[in-house]
């Protein structure tokens, strides 16, 4: 699980969210899409800028290659 997904999991756990709906913009929207795709308990994800589910490291502009590849894995 990548850092962003771990952060989402930590927030959901901290607030006792059993079925969190995730909303994000830009990179956060990509993480929202990834989270929903990997967590059946997530009923909805909203990606405010329209980027799809990230599947390639080049979709994470500004991140180094290793961090981008890790982000694609969720």
């Amino acid at each position: 699980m990548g850092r962003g997904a771990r952060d989402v999991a930590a927030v959901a756990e901290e607030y006792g969210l059993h079925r969190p709906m995730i909303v994000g913009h830009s990179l956060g929207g990509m993480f929202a899409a990834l989270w929903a795709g990997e967590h059946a308990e997530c009923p909805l994800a909203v990606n405010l800028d329209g980027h799809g589910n990230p599947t390639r490291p080049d979709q994470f502009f500004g991140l180094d290659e290793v961090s981008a590849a890790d982000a694609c894995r969720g």
Side-chain angles (χ1 to χ4, degrees):
M1 179 184 306
R3 179 178 171 188
R6 285 191 304 268
D7 290 346
V8 171
V11 169
E13 184 177 328
E14 177 69 23
Y15 287 96
L17 304 174
H18 304 288
R19 295 191 50 177
M21 292 181 279
I22 308 298
V23 178
H25 175 262
S26 193
L27 182 58
M30 292 175 148
F31 280 119
L34 283 172
W35 177 265
E38 295 179 2
H39 293 85
E41 73 275 13
C42 180
L44 176 70
V46 177
N47 184 348
L48 295 174
D49 61 7
H51 292 292
N53 193 347
T55 56
R56 301 182 326 269
D58 64 311
Q59 290 174 294
F60 292 90
F61 180 76
L63 286 182
D64 62 81
E65 188 174 320
V66 173
S67 297
D70 184 44
C72 284
R73 288 189 291 276

